[in-house]
Amino acid sequence: MKNRYIASFEAAQIAEKEIPQFRAGDTVRLGIEIKEGDKKRVQTFEGIVIARSAEGVSATFTVRKLGANSVGVERIFPLYSDSIKSFEVLRRGRVRRAKLHYLRGLTGKKARIKELKK
């Protein structure tokens, strides 16, 4: 049982952010605020969501993209982080699993995910 003050604080934090619906297999583009010394800038990170975990304020998701020389780059983001400035879902993926860690071992055309048709 959570303390009611902690629960109300967490509910207020969740209400501030507007996050679109997404799940594993979706391609997303994030604008992340990066601090370099006393300067701040927004850098985009685009990739496939391979996992979501937890609920509420502590929710996180993992995004994987292919960087230079086909090197996979994965980052774990807190869902309600202040450093996430923009969040958009580019494509909906048709997958049958909640965690797509098997993508780590695939390269080229095998690593593609079909788009969900509506």
Side-chain angles (χ1 to χ4, degrees), residues 28-43:
V28 295
R29 181 182 295 143
L30 304 167
I32 297 123
E33 185 177 68
I34 295 179
K35 297 176 186 174
E36 295 174 337
D38 56 344
K39 296 179 186 175
K40 294 180 184 177
R41 64 183 176 91
V42 176
Q43 181 176 1

Side-chain angles (χ1 to χ4, degrees), residues 40-54:
K40 294 180 184 177
R41 64 183 176 91
V42 176
Q43 181 176 1
T44 60
F45 191 88
E46 183 177 331
I48 297 172
V49 176
I50 62 168
R52 284 188 71 169
S53 63

Side-chain angles (χ1 to χ4, degrees), residues 23-26 48-50 92-100 102-103 112-116:
R23 61 189 201 123
D26 293 350
I48 297 172
V49 176
I50 62 168
R92 302 273 180 197
R94 188 176 73 87
V95 294
R96 296 172 64 180
R97 295 182 182 352
K99 311 281 191 216
L100 305 178
Y102 67 88
L103 288 177
R112 289 189 298 186
I113 293 177
K114 291 183 180 178
E115 191 164 3
L116 183 67

Side-chain angles (χ1 to χ4, degrees), residues 27-34 42-49 61-67 71-77 84 86-88 90:
T27 304
V28 295
R29 181 182 295 143
L30 304 167
I32 297 123
E33 185 177 68
I34 295 179
V42 176
Q43 181 176 1
T44 60
F45 191 88
E46 183 177 331
I48 297 172
V49 176
F61 62 101
T62 306
V63 180
R64 178 181 173 84
K65 75 171 185 175
L66 284 180
V71 175
V73 178
E74 289 184 12
R75 284 189 66 182
I76 300 172
F77 297 100
I84 297 177
S86 65
F87 192 111
E88 66 178 301
L90 303 176

